[in-house]
Amino acid sequence: YRAWETKKIPTTCPHCGTGCQMNLIVKGNKLVGVEPINGAANKNLLCVKGKFASYKFVGSGDRLTEPLIKRNGVFEPATWDEALTLVADKFTQIKADHGADALAGFSCSRSINEDNYVFQKMVRAAFGTNNVDNCARVCHSASVHGLAHTLGSGAMTNPIADITTDVDVILLVGSNPEEAHPVIGAQIRQAMQRGTKVIVVDPRKIDLVKNSELHLQIQAGTNVAFANGMMHVILKEGLADRKFIEEKTEGFEALEQLVAEYTPEKVADICHIDPNDLIKAARMYAKAEKAPIIYCLGVTEHSTGTEGVMSMSNMAMLVGKIGKPGCGVNPLRGQNNVQGACDMGCMPYDFPGYQKVANPEVIEKFEKAWNVKLNRNVGMTSTQVLPAATDGNIKGLYIFGEDPIVTDPDTNHVRHALENLDFLVVQELFMTETAAYADVVLPGISYAEKDGTFTNTERRVQRVRKAVEPKGSARQDFEIFCDVMTRLGYPCHYDSAKEIMEEIAQVTPTFGGITYDRLEETGGLQWPCRTLEDPGTPIMHVGNFTRGKGLFMAIPYKKAQELPDESYPYLMSTGRMLYHYNTRAMTGRTEGINQIADRSYIEINTVDANRLGIQEGDKVKVSSRRGTIETYAAVGNRVFPQEVFMTFHFPDGNVNELTNAAFDDIAIIPEYKVCAVDIVPV
Ligand code: SF4
C-alpha cells in the first residue's frame, strides 16, 4: 500500500492478554497492515500474531453478514427483526415453562468490556438468571478464586514491565510465554540477557530452558507438591520472612506443619525431579531481592487448579515477596480481554468488580441501579451449564463469541449438551463449529469495527478504536443485546460504548475513576482506580493485602484424576503454539500463518517413538477413554518418555476429543493438562 493513501488508527491487539498497543493501517474501508506503537506492556514490540494475524480476518469473505435462522436443519437468511423476535419468543417460552434458571449465557472474552457488561446485564436483568460465565472458566478461573481467597483480589499483582525489568530471579511455573504471550516472552529473554536468572518449572523443555539457570521438569499435575517442597526447604534453611509472616498474614502454623512432611526426597519422587534442583531453586527464589512468580495454565488447568494457584500465593507470602516492586504472583491471562470479561461480571457469582451475588446488599444495589428485580441464586458455571443441558435442566443458551465444541474438554459430551438444548443462539464473526449447532446465528462485529476497551493481564484498561465499517448487516454487539432485552420486556439502549463505561464506573467501585477522557490522556489505567484523581494501582497489596491479612492455605498434594495405565500408557498435556491463537478463528484466516503452521502435532520422546516405529512427521492415531483423533508426530526430547504434549488449535485433530472433563471442586475448571492416552502409528 502507499502510505499517503492510508490512515493509522491506534488500538489494542485482539489476541493474547499482553495487551500490545498497535496502529491498524487503513486504506479506504480496508485494513492493510499493522505496526507496533509504544504501549506500557509492549514497548514497541509485536509478535507474529499481532503483526500478521490481526487484520486479515476482519475483511475475510467467511464473515457472517446477516442473521440466520435454522429451518429443517438448514440455515436461511433472515431479517434482524425476524431473528431477534424468534430469540425473544423462544426464551420467553422457556422461562414460562421451566423458570429463568433454565436459561444461560456464555460471554466473549475476546470482545470489549462494554459488550461484556451489557451481556451480563442482559442475562441477569432480562433473562432473570445468574447463569452467566466466560471462557476464564476453562483457563484462569482458578486464578480468580485462588488469588481472591488468599490475597483478596483475583488478578496479577504487578505490572509486566515491573516483573521483566531489573529483577534478580523469575520463578516461571507452567508458563511458556515465548509461544503463548510472545511479547512478555521476549521481555523475559531480554531480562535474561541483562542477568536475570530464570527458574523454569515445566513438564516440557520449552525454548527458554536453554538459557535458564535451572529447569525443574516436574510431571504434569504435581505443582502443589513442588510448591510444598520449595516451602519445606525455605523454612528448614531459615529463609522465610518471619516479620512479614507475623505482621501481614494468617494461617501460617497449619502451613508450616503441613510442609514439614514435604522433604526434597519425597517431592522429588512425586515430581520426578532431582531433589538437589529443588533445594537450589528454593534458595535462589528465597534469597533474591526481586523475584516474581509468573505462572499460566500449567498451574490452573488441573483438578487441583485453585490449590495450585493458592500454592503460588503461599510461596510468595512465605518469603515476603508481595506488595513490592519486582515481586508478586502474576498469572498471564490468555485471551485479550479475559481479565475484562471477569471484571465486568460475566461470572455466575460476581457482579461487575467482583461484587458478590451472594451478598444481599450487592443485589439491592444493582436492583436499584438497573431498576429491575434480580434473581438471588448464584448461577451455574459454563462447565456446569453443559452437563445441565445434557440432563435437560438448561433449555436455552446464548453463546457470544465462544466455541465450546472446540475449546471445552471431552468434545462428545459438549456435542450432546448442545444437541439437547431446546434453543441455542450463537452471536459470532464466523460460522464456527459451535454456531453450526445453533437455531439462530447473529452476526456480530470485530474489534476493528467498534470503539471500546480491553483490560490486559496486568489490569490495564486500554482503548480499542473503530477503524473500518462492518460488512453487510452485521451489528454492534451491545446493540444486539439491548434489542434482545427490549424484546424480553426490559427496555435498554446505549448511544455509545463511552456511555456504557460511564455506567460501569458508577456501579463498580474499582472502575470508579476510569473514563474515556482519562484513558485518552494516560494511554491506560490499572484498576483499582476508584476516583477521578486516582492514578490507578500498578502494584497491589502494598501495605495491607486487599483482604486485610494474606491467608496461607495448607494444601496436601493430590494426584491428577486420570493417570496412565496399561490401556492408555502415556500422560498427555496440552498447550498453545506460537503461530495460532485458540480456535484459529482469527489466525487461521491469515494465509502466511497457515503456510507455517497448518496442522496439529503431538510431541513424543525419541525413546517412545523408536519403540513404536514412529518418525518425525508421521501420522499417528491418539486415543483416550473419550475418543480417537489423528495427528502428526513431533519427535524429540521436549517431553520425557511416557509423556506427550499436544496443541489445541485445530478442529481437525481436536485434542479436546481426548481431554478429561474432570473438574476442580472450587473453580470448576477442567483438567486439560493431564489425561491418559495411547498412540499408534497410522
Ligand atoms: Fe498480540 Fe499477545 Fe502478540 Fe502482543 S504478545 S502482539 S497482545 S498476541
Side-chain angles (χ1 to χ4, degrees), residues 206-510:
I206 58 172
D207 288 350
L208 275 175
V209 166
K210 222 176 291 166
N211 305 87
S212 68
E213 189 73 8
L214 198 54
H215 179 204
L216 272 66
Q217 197 166 2
I218 64 171
Q219 187 178 77
T222 63
N223 295 314
V224 171
F226 152 75
N228 286 346
M230 288 281 283
M231 290 187 282
H232 176 102
V233 176
I234 288 167
L235 283 165
K236 192 171 169 205
E237 301 202 356
L239 298 172
D241 186 337
R242 295 274 174 181
K243 187 164 180 282
F244 184 95
I245 294 166
E246 193 165 319
E247 289 175 2
K248 299 196 171 178
T249 67
E250 55 189 333
F252 173 67
E253 291 72 20
L255 177 97
E256 187 175 34
Q257 208 176 345
L258 177 100
V259 302
E261 296 166 26
Y262 287 81
T263 62
E265 293 69 28
K266 173 176 168 164
V267 171
D269 200 37
I270 296 170
C271 298
H272 300 180
I273 53 174
D274 182 337
N276 293 316
D277 285 347
L278 181 75
I279 294 167
K280 189 175 170 193
R283 287 175 183 159
M284 274 175 67
Y285 173 61
K287 287 180 182 173
E289 193 190 329
K290 289 187 173 183
I293 295 174
I294 300 177
Y295 74 87
C296 199
L297 305 186
V299 169
T300 59
E301 289 180 339
H302 293 281
S303 56
T304 53
T306 307
E307 294 178 340
V309 170
M310 293 194 290
S311 299
M312 300 299 118
S313 295
N314 282 343
M315 282 196 289
M317 288 191 290
L318 190 70
V319 290
K321 291 188 186 0
I322 202 149
K324 296 173 182 170
C327 292
V329 185
N330 300 285
L332 301 184
R333 304 298 294 260
Q335 302 215 43
N336 54 334
N337 198 36
V338 71
Q339 179 67 57
C342 296
D343 301 342
M344 291 300 103
C346 290
M347 292 196 295
Y349 35 75
D350 285 344
F351 281 94
Y354 306 95
Q355 298 172 85
K356 299 293 168 203
V357 170
N359 181 345
E361 282 175 23
V362 170
I363 293 268
E364 281 158 28
K365 169 183 162 173
F366 278 91
E367 285 183 335
K368 202 166 159 205
W370 293 347
N371 193 25
V372 69
K373 194 85 191 142
L374 292 169
N375 189 326
R376 290 174 184 238
N377 301 329
V378 168
M380 282 188 238
T381 66
S382 62
T383 43
Q384 291 169 326
V385 162
L386 292 172
T390 305
D391 295 344
N393 295 320
I394 291 288
K395 302 283 186 187
L397 179 59
Y398 197 127
I399 300 181
F400 168 39
E402 295 290 342
D403 193 359
I405 289 271
V406 181
T407 58
D408 280 37
D410 191 358
T411 308
N412 263 326
H413 144 100
V414 182
R415 280 191 201 104
H416 287 145
L418 298 187
E419 282 165 357
N420 209 36
L421 289 165
D422 286 358
F423 202 70
L424 174 63
V425 183
V426 174
Q427 189 163 312
E428 254 298 351
L429 302 182
F430 301 102
M431 181 54 73
T432 60
E433 286 74 7
T434 297
Y437 283 75
D439 297 286
V440 169
V441 176
L442 302 172
I445 60 176
S446 76
Y447 84 109
E449 296 152 333
K450 61 175 72 164
D451 283 306
T453 55
F454 290 154
T455 306
N456 77 349
T457 187
E458 56 179 359
R459 298 171 279 106
R460 192 182 302 276
V461 183
Q462 305 184 113
R463 279 298 314 274
V464 172
R465 294 182 183 84
K466 180 174 177 175
V468 290
E469 293 294 334
K471 284 186 181 165
S473 71
R475 290 180 65 198
Q476 179 81 253
D477 292 278
F478 71 75
E479 285 178 8
I480 302 172
F481 306 142
C482 286
D483 278 4
V484 170
M485 282 194 260
T486 302
R487 280 172 166 78
L488 285 169
Y490 180 75
C492 191
H493 174 79
Y494 297 98
D495 282 332
S496 64
K498 185 178 180 192
E499 188 187 338
I500 299 168
M501 183 53 83
E502 286 163 9
E503 183 173 316
I504 294 167
Q506 277 170 17
V507 297
T508 315
T510 46

Side-chain angles (χ1 to χ4, degrees), residues 13 15-20 46-47 49-50 181-183:
C13 177
H15 295 295
C16 86
T18 307
C20 296
L46 286 180
C47 78
K49 287 180 278 234
H181 301 84
V183 163

Side-chain angles (χ1 to χ4, degrees), residues 547-563:
R547 71 178 293 280
K549 287 200 162 186
L551 178 63
F552 281 109
M553 295 293 293
I555 305 166
Y557 159 70
K558 288 182 226 134
K559 285 181 182 171
Q561 296 281 314
E562 182 183 74
L563 289 169

